[in-house]
C-alpha cells in the first residue's frame, strides 16, 4: 500500500527578502487596482477605495469588532452573537458595507447635504 505524506514548509525570509516580497505585493496590488479602475471606467462603473481596517474582524450581524471573532484564517465566529461564516465572505460583506456608506456620503456631499452614514436595518 502506497502511503503519501504531505509536508508543510514554512518560509522564513530575512529582512531583505521580506522587503522584496512586500514590494512585489504592493506592485501587484497597484496594477490590479489600476486595471480595475480602467475596466470600471470603460464599462461605466464606479470604483471606490475603502479603508480595509477591521473588515475581517467586524461581525456583519451585530457590528462587534474583536480579534477573537476570527479564530482561524478561514472561519469567522462572532464572540458576541455567535454568527458564523467563511472569513472571506465576512470581509467582502464588510468592504461592501463600507463602500455603500462612503458612496452615500459622497453623493450627499455632491448634493450639498452632509449626513452621517446610517446602518442598514
Ligand atoms: Zn456578532
Amino acid at each position: 500500500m502506497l502511503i503519501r505524506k504531505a509536508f508543510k514548509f514554512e518560509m522564513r525570509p530575512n529582512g531583505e527578502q521580506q522587503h522584496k516580497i512586500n514590494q512585489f505585493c504592493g506592485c501587484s496590488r497597484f496594477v490590479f487596482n489600476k486595471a480595475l479602475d480602467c475596466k470600471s471606467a470603460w464599462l461605466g462603473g464606479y470604483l471606490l477605495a475603502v479603508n480595509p481596517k477591521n473588515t475581517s474582524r467586524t461581525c456583519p450581524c451585530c457590528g462587534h469588532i474583536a480579534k477573537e471573532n476570527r479564530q482561524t484564517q478561514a472561519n469567522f465566529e462572532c464572540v458576541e452573537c455567535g454568527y458564523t461564516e467563511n472569513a472571506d465572505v465576512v470581509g467582502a460583506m464588510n468592504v461592501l458595507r463600507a463602500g455603500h456608506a462612503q458612496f452615500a456620503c459622497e453623493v450627499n456631499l455632491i448634493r450639498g447635504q452632509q449626513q452621517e452614514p446610517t446602518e442598514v436595518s
Side-chain angles (χ1 to χ4, degrees), residues 58-62 68-72 74-91 93:
T58 305
C59 176
C61 191
C62 69
E68 294 77 28
N69 284 346
R70 195 162 174 185
Q71 294 291 344
T72 65
N75 296 325
F76 179 94
E77 184 174 354
C78 181
V79 293
E80 192 74 18
C81 70
Y83 177 81
T84 56
E85 183 58 84
N86 180 291
D88 292 334
V89 172
V90 168
M93 291 164 76

